[in-house]
């Protein structure tokens, strides 16, 4: 049987808002990431004409600012070692992707 617990919103208004703003900015970044996947990084928003690449960099900056504020508000317990391990994993994966792409190239 699944346990049901009482969930209540974060009671500290500053923490609540920092969490909410970070989530909001992260979702805006997700939106432009998917637009870049679907339309291409060098395409533009059909409604505004704004280049996807420009919108992507704006949203990355917004997320970084929101996360920095959140880290300050909750007294930063950021795990640098974990972030480094994750980044190193992404770099290894990139090398695997590059090697795989080279295998498909004509000789």
């Amino acid at each position: 049987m699944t346990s049901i617990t009482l969930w209540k919103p974060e009671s500290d208004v500053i923490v609540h808002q920092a969490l909410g703003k970070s989530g909001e900015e992260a979702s805006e970044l997700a939106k432009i990431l998917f637009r870049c996947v679907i339309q291409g990084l060098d395409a533009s928003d059909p409604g505004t004409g704004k280049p996807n690449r420009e919108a992507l960099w704006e949203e990355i900056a917004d997320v970084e600012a929101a996360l920095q504020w959140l880290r300050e508000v909750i007294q930063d317990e950021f795990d640098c070692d974990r972030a480094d391990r994750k980044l190193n994993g992404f770099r290894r994966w990139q090398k695997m992707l590059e090697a795989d792409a080279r295998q498909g190239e004509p000789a």
Side-chain angles (χ1 to χ4, degrees):
M1 182 163 129
T2 303
S3 176
I4 301 295
T5 60
L6 178 62
W7 291 5
K8 296 177 98 176
E10 170 59 48
S11 61
D12 182 307
V13 69
I14 303 298
V15 172
H16 182 273
Q17 294 302 88
L19 290 166
K21 187 49 89 173
S22 294
E24 179 185 32
E25 295 296 349
S27 70
E28 291 173 6
L29 175 58
K31 180 180 174 183
I32 186 59
L33 287 168
F34 285 116
R35 186 179 328 131
C36 290
V37 168
I38 293 166
Q39 297 177 336
L41 185 60
D42 294 319
S44 295
D45 181 300
T48 65
K50 179 184 272 190
N52 288 346
R53 187 181 295 267
E54 178 183 334
L56 176 63
W57 284 116
E58 288 175 355
E59 294 306 332
I60 288 171
D62 292 353
V63 166
E64 287 194 358
L67 292 177
Q68 180 59 43
W69 180 46
L70 176 62
R71 289 172 64 185
E72 291 170 9
V73 166
I74 63 174
Q75 283 131 33
D76 197 351
E77 294 179 22
F78 186 75
D79 187 342
C80 291
D81 291 336
R82 180 187 173 104
D84 288 343
R85 286 191 306 272
K86 194 73 162 185
L87 181 56
N88 287 331
F90 289 146
R91 288 175 175 154
R92 286 193 311 272
W93 184 37
Q94 178 181 347
K95 288 180 184 196
M96 293 167 62
L97 290 166
E98 290 167 347
D100 183 67
R102 283 191 302 274
Q103 288 178 359
E105 293 175 359

